[in-house]
């Protein structure tokens, strides 16, 4: 089935119905990756409340905020469900830390991308292996690059369909869902964080700042991505 056919089938359906349709198209081959951000918590709530047959995984880079681990723990307690954890390759991290130290990513974009590749991209490839559909929490208003993505597209890099069911949602939509459904969320959002990644690479932003302004703030380019959602 091609992208056009899938989009036509899912068009104007509720998020729950779209996820069910993808699960029916690809039984036991649908995976959702969460970083415990607000958008991801919305999708987690939908998947777990309805017991959808979707594998939920997270990438633990080893550099996460304490608050991120706390929402991870609260989420497990709330739904009584396991979330599979993928870590970076130990030898790759050991080599990076030994040869370049703990903060090499501040020194250049190349070093930062190297760290992201080791801690995020390679573990993601292992997590997605064997699956046919990858669900993400991407929204189009998060960045200029994401504005040009599609709600459902073919991910050539990982050789699967990529579905972003909240793609057209606004931040207000996300926050309203979290509040109305009492969904656990990362308390860093209450302190001015809007896009939360690794602790050394994320900071709070001022009202009105770009959504990604707090990520890799020492870099001056606009294309601030770690490599998980970049088309090759």
């Amino acid at each position: 089935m091609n992208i056009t056919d899938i989009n036509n089938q899912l068009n104007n359906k509720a998020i729950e119905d779209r996820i069910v349709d993808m699960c029916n198209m690809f039984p036991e081959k649908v995976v959702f990756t969460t970083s415990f951000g607000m958008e991801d918590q919305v999708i987690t709530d939908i998947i777990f409340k309805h017991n959808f047959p979707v594998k939920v995984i997270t990438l633990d880079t080893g550099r996460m905020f304490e608050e991120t681990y706390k929402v991870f723990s609260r989420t497990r307690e709330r739904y009584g469900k396991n979330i599979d954890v993928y870590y970076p390759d130990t030898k790759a991290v050991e080599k990076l830390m030994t040869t370049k130290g703990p903060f090499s990513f501040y020194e250049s974009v190349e070093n930062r991308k190297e760290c992201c590749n080791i801690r995020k991209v390679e573990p993601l490839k292992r997590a997605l292996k064997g699956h046919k559909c990858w669900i993400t929490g991407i929204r189009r208003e998060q960045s200029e690059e994401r504005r040009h993505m599609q709600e459902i597209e073919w991910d050539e890099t990982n050789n699967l369909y990529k579905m972003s069911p909240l793609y057209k949602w606004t931040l207000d939509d996300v926050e309203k869902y979290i509040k109305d459904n009492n969904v656990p969320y990362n308390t860093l959002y209450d302190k001015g964080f809007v896009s939360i990644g690794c602790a050394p690479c994320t900071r709070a932003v001022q009202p009105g700042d770009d959504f990604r302004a707090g990520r890799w703030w020492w870099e001056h380019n606009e294309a601030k991505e770690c490599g998980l959602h970049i088309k090759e």
Side-chain angles (χ1 to χ4, degrees), residues 34-37 58-69 86-88 93 96-97 102-103 105-106 111-121 123 186 188-189 193-204 212-218 225-228:
T34 176
S35 62
F36 304 103
T58 190
L59 308 177
D60 189 338
T61 66
R63 307 298 295 265
M64 312 306 292
F65 284 97
E66 179 182 354
E67 289 85 351
T68 301
Y69 290 116
Y86 284 76
Y87 283 93
V93 174
L96 176 66
M97 295 288 281
F103 297 120
F105 42 82
Y106 289 136
N111 278 357
R112 194 269 293 172
K113 289 183 177 180
E114 177 186 27
C115 187
C116 287
N117 187 70
I118 291 172
R119 296 182 183 273
K120 289 185 175 184
V121 178
N186 195 322
L188 287 175
Y189 284 104
F193 289 77
V194 293
S195 178
I196 303 169
C198 294
C201 302
T202 310
R203 69 178 182 181
R212 303 286 281 182
R215 302 291 293 274
W216 311 296
W217 65 91
W218 62 92
E225 295 286 351
C226 62
L228 298 184

Side-chain angles (χ1 to χ4, degrees), residues 16-232:
E16 294 85 351
D17 294 331
R18 279 179 277 160
I19 294 176
V20 167
D21 280 357
M22 296 305 282
C23 290
N24 289 336
M25 282 185 228
F26 309 108
E28 307 300 323
K29 299 293 184 181
V30 180
V31 61
F32 167 56
T33 54
T34 176
S35 62
F36 304 103
M38 277 196 177
E39 292 84 1
D40 292 341
Q41 288 298 95
V42 169
I43 298 174
T44 296
D45 182 72
I46 292 170
I47 290 173
F48 283 164
K49 281 200 308 191
H50 295 86
N51 290 311
F52 290 146
V54 176
K55 182 178 181 180
V56 179
I57 70 104
T58 190
L59 308 177
D60 189 338
T61 66
R63 307 298 295 265
M64 312 306 292
F65 284 97
E66 179 182 354
E67 289 85 351
T68 301
Y69 290 116
K70 286 182 177 178
V71 74
F72 180 4
S73 181
R74 292 202 309 273
T75 300
R76 294 183 77 257
E77 293 169 359
R78 165 74 178 273
Y79 303 102
K81 304 280 190 179
N82 286 335
I83 297 172
D84 290 5
V85 181
Y86 284 76
Y87 283 93
D89 177 75
T90 301
K91 290 188 180 301
V93 174
E94 288 175 347
K95 180 180 179 181
L96 176 66
M97 295 288 281
T98 299
T99 59
K100 295 189 176 181
F103 297 120
S104 61
F105 42 82
Y106 289 136
E107 298 171 2
S108 68
V109 174
E110 290 73 26
N111 278 357
R112 194 269 293 172
K113 289 183 177 180
E114 177 186 27
C115 187
C116 287
N117 187 70
I118 291 172
R119 296 182 183 273
K120 289 185 175 184
V121 178
E122 189 278 329
L124 176 71
K125 290 183 181 298
R126 281 190 276 117
L128 297 182
K129 188 175 181 180
H131 290 87
K132 299 296 184 182
C133 176
W134 171 24
I135 298 176
T136 82
I138 286 176
R139 292 187 298 107
R140 63 183 174 186
E141 70 174 17
Q142 289 174 333
S143 71
E144 185 61 30
E145 289 72 30
R146 297 182 179 189
R147 198 177 304 277
H148 298 293
M149 294 180 177
Q150 300 178 41
E151 189 167 351
I152 299 176
E153 58 184 16
W154 177 253
D155 186 325
E156 190 70 35
T157 301
N158 296 296
N159 196 37
L160 44 56
Y161 292 98
K162 183 176 178 181
M163 177 186 182
S164 303
L166 304 186
Y167 186 69
K168 296 178 182 178
W169 281 35
T170 65
L171 181 58
D172 287 342
D173 293 331
V174 174
E175 292 176 339
K176 184 177 188 303
Y177 185 98
I178 294 287
K179 181 178 180 181
D180 290 350
N181 293 275
N182 193 30
V183 177
Y185 71 94
N186 195 322
T187 56
L188 287 175
Y189 284 104
D190 297 331
K191 301 176 182 179
F193 289 77
V194 293
S195 178
I196 303 169
C198 294
C201 302
T202 310
R203 69 178 182 181
V205 299
Q206 296 299 315
D209 282 350
D210 181 80
F211 181 84
R212 303 286 281 182
R215 302 291 293 274
W216 311 296
W217 65 91
W218 62 92
E219 296 179 10
H220 300 293
N221 62 311
E222 295 180 356
K224 292 185 175 183
E225 295 286 351
C226 62
L228 298 184
H229 301 292
I230 293 179
K231 297 179 182 179
E232 293 182 354

